[in-house]
């Protein structure tokens, strides 16, 4: 990946991200991405082997960050409700801090070729595993009550991944406010009210 | 719209839908759509004025059905929890019965031009208004307890609209089972547990 370690985007990936957002993966031209990055097409190909390579670099960065974040959060002890609340809060903060990338994740990841898709799905699967693990723990200790672990985890994940579609960085609500609201909604969704 | 009244798709719209799903709106060629529909390009243009017109016809049909459905469901009396459960159940059934169209709705609606987007957003807004109305009624009679009506409605809507990304028509779970699970999750999410 040409992204630098401090979390900023290389000019090529920033250009690719904006063109993918505007035109979709199939509509995006490498010529336009190179132009926005201030490079020639051959210079762009020196850094990234293909248009799919650019999409993969963008998605890999987002999903790697998310996977590391969720595994770190999950290592902090607490009740299942506390862990689920923290996990939701952290994922919302991560999505809100990089909404354009997660918007691409939602709509363009399906265009990755089989090999890239497998690697991407493996990392994304880790995030879903953490979520399923917390829901399972809550069912086991009786603090949660849901019909089905997988449906519940997918529902939570879908709810979070839809945020980039309406979230506005310039909007009146801070990422913290939105993260807190989603944490409440998620914990209420699974809580065993017979307790 | 060239869609017939019995809910089936015209060959042109069916072809457009499959090409949009595989290639995205910008990647889709009218030539390929015409080919799959068994028509010449001019014959296709006789029925639909542009590629955007095809996308609009597909999305309009889905969002019109959804909007009529939610308004019909909402007219049935009941407690806010009963109404929200029914609404969720009906929306999931509708999405599961036409997952490919709702997948296009999620990822390609942003490519509509301003005029079409306004009309689409107006219809989609009606569905969201019904959802917000039920959540507001539950807050007013004390049966629901949430931080914010708009965030809650968007969260529910996002959760439902994410279903096409993983839903498999051939999968072991019936649409009814999934609809029931989502209805439980949604009602739990907003319920006032102090009651």
């Amino acid at each position: 990946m040409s992204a630098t370690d401090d979390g900023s985007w290389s000019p090529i990936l920033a250009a690719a991200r904006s063109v993918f957002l505007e035109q979709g993966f199939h509509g995006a031209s490498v010529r336009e991405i190179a132009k926005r990055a201030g490079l020639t097409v051959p210079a762009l190909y020196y850094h990234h082997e293909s248009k799919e390579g650019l999409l993969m670099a963008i998605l890999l960065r987002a999903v790697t960050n998310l996977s590391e974040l969720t595994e770190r959060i999950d290592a902090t002890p607490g009740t299942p409700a506390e862990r689920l609340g923290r996990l939701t809060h952290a994922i919302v903060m991560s999505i809100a801090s990089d909404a354009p990338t997660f918007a691409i994740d939602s709509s363009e990841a399906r265009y990755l070729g089989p090999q890239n898709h497998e690697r991407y799905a493996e990392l994304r699967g880790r995030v879903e595993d953490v979520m399923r693990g917390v829901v399972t723990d809550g069912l086991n200790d009786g603090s949660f009550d849901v019909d089905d672990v997988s449906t519940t985890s997918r529902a939570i994940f879908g709810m979070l991944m839809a945020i980039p579609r309406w979230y506005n960085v310039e909007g009146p609500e801070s990422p913290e406010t939105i993260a807190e609201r989603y944490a409440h909604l998620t914990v209420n969704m699974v809580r065993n009210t017979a307790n």
Side-chain angles (χ1 to χ4, degrees), chain A:
Chain A
M1 286 195 294
S2 18
T4 51
D5 286 333
D6 67 354
S8 68
W9 290 83
S10 75
I12 299 177
L13 290 188
R17 196 177 65 158
S18 70
V19 178
F20 288 154
L21 266 178
E22 289 164 29
Q23 301 282 317
F25 175 69
H26 282 291
S29 82
V30 169
R31 182 178 299 275
E32 174 66 20
I33 295 170
K35 195 178 142 200
R36 289 204 201 174
L39 292 170
T40 62
V41 171
L44 184 148
Y45 279 123
Y46 177 80
H47 294 282
H48 295 274
E49 64 177 10
S50 63
K51 190 166 77 165
E52 187 186 328
L54 289 166
L55 179 61
M56 185 61 179
I58 292 169
L59 296 183
L60 206 52
R61 186 165 139 160
V63 78
T64 304
N65 284 347
L66 200 59
S67 148
E68 287 171 3
L69 174 75
T70 52
E71 284 173 0
R72 201 164 61 238
I73 295 281
D74 197 46
T76 314
T79 65
E82 286 163 353
R83 286 160 57 211
L84 182 62
R86 259 185 239 137
L87 199 56
T88 305
H89 194 281
I91 295 174
V92 175
M93 293 298 288
S94 177
I95 291 173
S97 75
D98 197 5
T101 304
F102 284 98
I104 292 174
D105 187 287
S106 288
S107 57
E108 313 301 319
R110 63 198 167 117
Y111 299 129
L112 290 173
Q115 259 193 313
N116 278 329
H117 199 276
E118 195 181 322
R119 191 165 163 217
Y120 163 82
E122 198 267 319
L123 280 161
R124 177 128 179 184
R126 285 198 212 165
V127 180
E128 295 176 2
D129 285 347
V130 170
M131 188 71 82
R132 260 196 301 274
V134 176
V135 175
T136 303
D137 289 349
L139 276 182
N140 288 341
D141 78 4
S143 58
F144 293 174
D145 179 22
V146 296
D147 297 326
D148 180 74
V149 172
S150 288
T151 307
T152 305
S153 306
R154 277 181 195 140
I156 295 172
F157 216 60
M159 185 171 101
L160 304 180
M161 289 298 152
I163 293 175
R165 255 181 266 158
W166 57 264
Y167 178 68
N168 175 6
V169 178
E170 318 276 306
E173 286 145 349
S174 70
E176 284 81 2
T177 302
I178 296 168
E180 271 169 37
R181 289 177 185 165
Y182 270 82
H184 290 163
L185 290 171
T186 307
V187 173
N188 285 343
M189 191 154 88
V190 300
R191 186 184 283 153
N192 185 351
T193 51
N195 283 352

